Structures are given as structure tokens and as C-alpha cells.
Amino acid sequence: MRLAPALLSVLCATLADAAATLSFNRDVRPILSDRCYGCHGPDSNKGRKAGLRLDEPAGATKELKSGERAIIPGDIENSEMVRRMLSTDPDEIMPPPELDRPPDEGAARRAHPLDQGRR
């Protein structure tokens, strides 16, 4: 996947000093809770989408019907969740436009713990 130059700059700058300061629970889980758990969280009776459960590591990293994995620990560029969070395609972007949640410009920086395989 080819990342936009600005996003790549953010990721590269983050790599140098963020490893010691970012954590999954503090920096990533709130994004998932705010933007993803409504459709991909613990409440299966609310109509979980695509069989994807992001609130537990086994569900977030399992192979999906599409053959993709939402989160690939240690491989942020190939993690489908991150790709969709950063997409500009209205048919691909998550959360979908009809949920009226604007894109989170800091998501790439806060997703960095995924690149290190943190949980």
C-alpha cells in the first residue's frame, strides 16, 4: 500500500520517539471505542458487521472472509483497519460517511503501537 507523503512523514517522525510514549490502551483503544465498537465491538446483538470484533485481540487479528486481517501486529501498512481509517474512498473509509464522524487526522500517529505488535 502506498501512503500519502504527509502521512508517511508523520509515521516516520513518530517512529523515532513515540515508541516510549504511545500505548495501545491509552492511544489506540479510545479510537476503536469511539469509531469502531458500535459495529465491531462486544455487543453482537447490535448487528456486528463483517463478523469483525475489534475489542479483543483474537477477533481483531483473525483472517476475515476477504482474506485480510483488520490488525496485523507489526505490519501497519497491511492492516486493513488502518487502511480503511485512512482511506478517502467513501465506499472503503471507516467509519462510513453515513455515521457522520469526520476522519481523525491523528489516527496514523496513534496507530503506531500496532506497527510494533503491541496489544
Side-chain angles (χ1 to χ4, degrees), residues 52-82:
L52 174 59
R53 187 166 177 178
L54 293 172
D55 63 308
E56 56 186 22
T61 58
K62 76 175 187 173
E63 186 171 328
L64 304 171
K65 292 177 189 176
S66 66
E68 303 291 338
R69 294 180 189 274
I71 298 174
I72 302 172
D75 192 359
I76 195 170
E77 284 193 34
N78 289 308
S79 294
E80 185 69 6
M81 181 192 74
V82 174

Side-chain angles (χ1 to χ4, degrees), residues 23-33 71 81 107 109-114:
S23 86
F24 181 84
N25 284 329
R26 184 188 68 222
D27 300 308
V28 178
R29 190 176 303 277
I31 297 169
L32 298 177
S33 179
I71 298 174
M81 181 192 74
R109 180 187 70 80
R110 291 189 305 276
H112 174 66
L114 297 176

Side-chain angles (χ1 to χ4, degrees), residues 1 3 7 16-17 19 25 34 38 52 82 98-100 106 112:
M1 177 173 99
L3 294 175
L7 177 58
D17 63 1
N25 284 329
D34 180 52
L52 174 59
V82 174
E98 61 268 17
L99 293 182
D100 198 27
H112 174 66

